[in-house]
């Protein structure tokens, strides 16, 4: 490692060495006993995040909202929901975070607003109102029905009739989330002005909700990655992002290795990163989606990550995550939330944090929080789960079958309150939480995990520090190994003659592994969730969910020949 490289890394954008942490405000920390997490609650827990070493928080929406979709339905883009606090609280959050070297990245939800937004109220009152054209309206079909069969993501028709204007409007997610009409230049101006208003308040960037849907061509039935998308993103960049030291991550369920660089290639002037979901949708039914999961296959999983690492090898930048507020808990989904909970949580973190890109930790992941098990539909809160339940049970599905699916893949898994202590309501609230706490908070909680030097938190802190301290973790080339092995995820990272070898057993049984030449050698153990290894060679037996990363001592002429290196 040379001086120049270190200096070079320091000059890289801050978000390439930083680790992100997602907060779902409703579920993080309640300061006033109303059962709902809030901004003062977040401020009271910032030291936990400073200790973890993260560089920025992605804050799920805190804007004014009737909360049909917990804030992904915004009724005022320039105000804070009263249950979360005030603009003064928000400014204090930005300042208190900054004092701990943490930036605040907000959620930008501009594919749709809330149906309670003033714009939408005006739009529904008269066709002549200027705001009418801020939304997407179509006439009824000849039979009076909706203009197309398009179904809303959360169930039912995507079209809703408004008698006052005798037209249908589009709600691609739900009727409470009417789609904004990006074709209207005044609407775009409003959005850019609003973004600049938040930047001027000192935020560190935006995560952009379902951004790949804004360029849709409704009449052609093209919703994802429509023909206007990149023109709008380039305009947005010119009007808001250019010249600012901020980070942008666009969420897209449709982005593919083929289209990724059209969002974040260096000459595109659009976004810094995308959240892609290929590793999630690969294990879902093509039609029934997450309600009908496919069995996990490590070979496919590895191939997807290798492809994305390859696509971003020279240009663009990956985001790295297994969890967010829409997904089940990663230790339950990809690891083992029983016997091997701690080992498998650490194993998954090792793989994600040592790839090239910016890792995102979802609240509670750093202590190995698990899925929850609800028995009755009235315990669920998520709009998607509740609407799909109504639809599917009406269509004949047994309620128990649906509930089993929701326990496995539903969004409420990620939304049960953060488990701070073993005490009442997990230390999340003094009142009654808006959604039940997971009963396992008696053993799985921040206080217990942090008190354990071998805890998951300590392990994450080490991984996050490695990224800040070691250029090879940030910038090293990614090389795949043993791609056909169904049990072991193995890769290397290379920079300036340094190689880090990463080997992880994805199963709950011991795995015999023949160390490939490219990973063999002796050196310094950087990460281990079992006994540290400083030498990798020959046939090794990995313990269940064992993960290890070794910084190999420099070999004069390192053999860079690898199997299917990306
Ligand atoms: O999610 C995008 C999205 O497509 C989700 O509906 C996703 O498919 C689903 O959660 C998987 O079960 C974003 C937000 O992350 C989500 O919370 C919002 O509900 C949605 O947009 C609408 O704003
Ligand atoms: Ca509260």
């Amino acid at each position: 490692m040379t001086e120049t490289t270190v200096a070079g890394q320091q000059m890289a954008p801050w978000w390439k060495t930083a680790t992100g942490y997602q907060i779902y405000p409703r579920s993080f920390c309640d300061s006033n006993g109303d059962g709902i997490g809030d901004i003062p609650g977040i401020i009271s827990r910032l030291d936990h995040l400073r200790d973890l070493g993260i560089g920025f928080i992605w804050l799920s929406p805190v804007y004014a909202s009737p909360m049909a979709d917990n804030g992904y339905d915004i009724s005022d883009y320039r105000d804070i929901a009263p249950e979360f606090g005030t603009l003064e609280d928000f400014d204090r959050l930005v300042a208190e975070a900054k004092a701990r070297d943490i930036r605040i990245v907000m959620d930008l939800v501009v594919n749709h607003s809330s149906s309670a937004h003033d714009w939408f109220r005006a739009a529904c009152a008269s066709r002549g109102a200027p705001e009418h054209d801020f939304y997407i309206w179509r006439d009824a079909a000849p039979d009076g029905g909706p203009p197309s069969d398009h179904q809303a993501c959360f169930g039912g028709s995507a079209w809703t009739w408004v008698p006052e204007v005798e037209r249908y409007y589009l709600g691609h997610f739900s009727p409470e989330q009417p789609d904004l009409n990006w074709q209207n230049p005044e609407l775009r101006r409003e959005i850019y002005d609003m973004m600049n208003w938040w930047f001027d308040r000192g935020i560190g960037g935006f995560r952009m909700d379902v951004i790949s849907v804004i360029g849709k061509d409704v009449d052609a039935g093209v919703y994802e990655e429509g023909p206007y998308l990149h023109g709008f993103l380039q305009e947005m960049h010119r009007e808001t992002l250019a010249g600012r030291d901020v980070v942008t991550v666009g969420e897209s369920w449709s982005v593919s290795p083929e289209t990724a660089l059209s969002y974040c290639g260096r000459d595109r002037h659009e976004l810094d990163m995308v959240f892609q979901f290929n590793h999630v949708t690969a294990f879902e039914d093509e039609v029934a989606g997450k309600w009908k999961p496919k069995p996990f296959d490590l070979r496919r999983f590895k191939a997807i990550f290798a492809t994305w690492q390859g696509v971003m090898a020279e240009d663009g930048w990956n985001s790295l995550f297994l969890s967010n507020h829409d997904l089940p808990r990663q230790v339950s989904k990809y690891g083992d939330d029983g016997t091997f909970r701690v080992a498998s949580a650490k194993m998954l973190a090792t793989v994600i944090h040592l790839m090239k890109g910016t890792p995102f930790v979802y609240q509670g992941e750093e202590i190995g929080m698990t899925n929850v098990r609800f028995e009755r539909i009235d315990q669920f809160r998520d709009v998607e789960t509740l609407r799909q339940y109504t639809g599917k049970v009406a269509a004949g599905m047994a309620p128990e079958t649906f509930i089993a699916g929701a326990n496995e893949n539903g969004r409420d898994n990620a939304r049960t309150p953060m488990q701070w202590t073993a005490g009442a309501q997990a230390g999340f609230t003094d009142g009654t939480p808006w959604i039940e706490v997971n009963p396992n908070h008696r053993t799985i909680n921040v206080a217990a995990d942090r008190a354990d030097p071998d805890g998951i938190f300590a392990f994450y802190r080490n991984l996050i520090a490695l990224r800040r301290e070691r250029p090879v973790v940030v910038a090293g080339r990614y090389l795949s190994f043993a791609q056909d092995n169904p049990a072991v995820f193995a890769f290397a990272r290379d920079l300036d003659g340094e190689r880090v070898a990463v080997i992880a057993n994805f199963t709950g049984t011991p795995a015999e592994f023949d160390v490939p030449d490219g990973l063999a050698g002796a050196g310094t153990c950087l990460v281990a969730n079992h006994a540290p290894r400083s030498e990798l060679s020959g046939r090794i037996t990995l313990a269940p969910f064992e993960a290890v990363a070794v910084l190999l001592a420099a070999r004069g002429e390192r053999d860079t020949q690898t199997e299917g290196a990306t």
Side-chain angles (χ1 to χ4, degrees):
M1 178 194 333
T2 65
E3 287 297 320
T4 346
T5 308
V6 173
Q9 286 311 316
Q10 281 163 353
M11 283 175 343
W14 56 269
W15 43 268
K16 291 193 176 179
T17 53
T19 296
Y21 185 96
Q22 185 190 353
I23 289 183
Y24 196 67
R26 210 175 178 78
S27 304
F28 192 65
C29 183
D30 174 24
S31 70
N32 63 353
D34 67 355
I36 299 173
D38 46 54
I39 294 173
I42 296 172
I43 295 171
S44 74
R45 298 294 185 173
L46 283 174
D47 287 344
H48 173 71
L49 304 181
R50 180 205 51 208
D51 295 349
L52 189 56
I54 58 128
F56 64 101
I57 292 168
W58 153 26
L59 192 61
S60 274
V62 290
Y63 310 88
S65 164
M67 304 285 166
D69 189 13
N70 289 350
Y72 284 92
D73 50 319
I74 297 170
S75 54
D76 185 345
Y77 288 96
R78 299 188 191 212
D79 205 355
I80 301 293
E83 54 265 67
F84 292 151
T86 61
L87 277 170
E88 289 67 41
D89 292 328
F90 181 82
D91 290 343
R92 201 154 56 83
L93 172 63
V94 171
E96 291 278 348
K98 187 174 179 198
R100 293 165 178 83
D101 278 332
I102 296 172
R103 291 171 167 87
I104 300 293
V105 170
M106 286 189 97
D107 215 313
L108 184 75
V109 190
V110 290
N111 173 66
H112 44 268
S113 74
S114 160
S115 54
H117 197 293
D118 284 346
W119 294 339
F120 190 69
R121 297 220 160 110
C124 287
S126 127
R127 287 195 188 195
E131 295 87 349
H132 185 74
D133 192 49
F134 280 14
Y135 294 89
I136 300 174
W137 301 92
R138 292 291 181 271
D139 292 334
D143 68 356
S148 79
D149 291 339
H150 188 57
Q151 294 293 297
C153 293
F154 299 151
S157 172
W159 297 100
T160 305
W161 178 251
V162 177
E164 288 76 9
V165 292
E166 297 192 297
R167 273 179 175 166
Y168 283 93
Y169 70 86
L170 177 71
H172 178 66
F173 285 90
S174 76
E176 290 80 11
Q177 294 162 295
D179 283 59
L180 289 165
N181 178 20
W182 275 73
Q183 298 299 328
N184 182 307
E186 277 94 61
L187 180 267
R188 300 203 302 276
R189 185 74 257 156
E190 289 279 356
I191 292 172
Y192 304 149
D193 287 349
M194 175 270 286
M195 291 171 69
N196 285 324
W197 187 82
W198 285 106
F199 282 134
D200 293 344
R201 278 197 119 86
I203 67 167
F206 281 114
R207 174 268 187 185
M208 301 186 183
D209 193 59
V210 291
I211 203 67
S212 52
V213 187
I214 64 171
K216 56 187 144 307
D217 180 345
V218 172
D219 299 313
V222 176
Y223 289 87
E224 285 285 354
E225 304 195 305
Y228 309 102
L229 171 62
H230 294 289
F232 292 153
L233 286 177
Q234 284 163 11
E235 180 184 73
M236 176 192 282
H237 189 279
R238 284 194 303 276
E239 298 295 325
T240 67
L241 303 166
R244 294 189 192 266
D245 184 22
V246 295
V247 70
T248 51
V249 196
E251 185 207 25
S252 175
W253 284 74
S254 57
V255 63
S256 64
E258 289 72 36
T259 60
L261 287 175
S262 63
Y263 297 78
C264 61
R266 72 172 69 80
D267 296 332
R268 299 289 296 176
H269 304 293
E270 297 187 20
L271 303 176
D272 296 319
M273 290 179 260
V274 287
F275 281 134
Q276 65 84 17
F277 294 87
N278 292 186
H279 56 291
V280 175
T281 54
F283 305 106
E284 294 178 347
D285 184 80
E286 281 75 13
V287 180
K290 67 187 203 180
W291 308 103
K292 203 173 167 197
K294 288 182 185 165
F296 182 72
D297 172 2
L298 182 67
R299 278 168 295 206
R300 177 122 191 245
F301 189 75
K302 289 190 290 188
I304 290 167
F305 281 103
T307 299
W308 281 86
Q309 291 286 307
V311 163
M312 306 286 186
E314 306 294 337
D315 192 9
W317 190 255
N318 273 299
S319 67
L320 305 168
F321 69 98
L322 294 176
S323 298
N324 69 26
H325 65 294
D326 294 331
L327 299 173
R329 291 281 175 180
Q330 68 189 49
V331 72
S332 301
K333 177 86 184 169
Y334 305 100
D336 174 349
D337 61 12
T339 320
F340 297 117
R341 184 183 66 88
V342 172
S344 65
K346 292 175 178 177
M347 182 281 289
L348 294 169
T350 304
V351 169
I352 288 296
H353 284 252
L354 294 183
M355 285 195 266
K356 186 174 176 186
T358 297
F360 286 78
V361 179
Y362 180 70
Q363 65 184 39
E365 182 192 320
E366 77 278 22
I367 57 162
M369 277 177 62
T370 71
N371 279 355
V372 68
R373 183 158 295 275
F374 287 149
E375 310 284 337
R376 305 177 318 273
I377 193 67
D378 64 75
Q379 293 175 289
F380 291 87
R381 294 288 177 272
D382 174 33
V383 59
E384 178 185 54
T385 302
L386 298 177
R387 286 209 186 146
Q388 294 284 345
Y389 176 85
T390 309
K392 291 198 192 299
V393 170
M397 184 185 264
E400 313 81 72
T401 309
F402 183 89
I403 287 175
N407 277 329
E408 191 176 341
N409 264 329
R411 306 200 296 184
D412 282 333
N413 284 308
R415 301 176 183 187
T416 61
M418 180 74 180
Q419 293 164 206
W420 297 102
T421 69
Q425 308 300 358
F428 163 74
T429 179
D430 294 334
T432 306
W434 69 277
I435 185 171
E436 289 175 33
V437 299
N438 194 321
N440 69 17
H441 72 271
R442 290 181 195 93
T443 48
I444 302 171
N445 60 70
V446 170
D449 191 85
R450 288 193 58 159
D452 179 357
D454 276 333
I456 300 169
F457 181 89
F459 195 88
Y460 268 79
R461 178 158 53 183
N462 178 37
L463 283 170
I464 292 167
L466 276 178
R467 176 169 297 273
R468 284 198 313 271
E469 291 156 8
R470 298 215 174 245
V472 64
V473 175
V474 177
R477 191 161 71 104
Y478 180 91
L479 305 164
S480 302
F481 289 91
Q483 284 170 309
D484 289 334
N485 189 310
V488 177
F489 200 143
F491 61 92
R493 302 288 308 284
D494 260 13
L495 187 71
D496 297 342
E498 264 190 353
R499 175 168 290 187
V500 176
V502 182
I503 301 177
N505 178 4
F506 253 73
T507 73
T509 49
E512 301 281 306
F513 185 65
D514 292 315
V515 177
D517 277 354
L519 298 181
T524 313
C525 189
L526 297 178
V527 175
N529 64 354
H530 281 80
R533 294 177 188 265
S534 53
E535 199 182 338
L536 301 169
S537 67
R539 171 164 293 192
I540 60 176
T541 305
L542 297 163
F545 296 109
E546 179 172 354
V548 63
V550 179
L551 176 64
L552 301 175
R555 276 193 215 160
E557 278 294 298
R558 184 178 299 289
D559 178 11
T560 49
Q561 199 195 330
T562 60
E563 310 160 43
T566 51

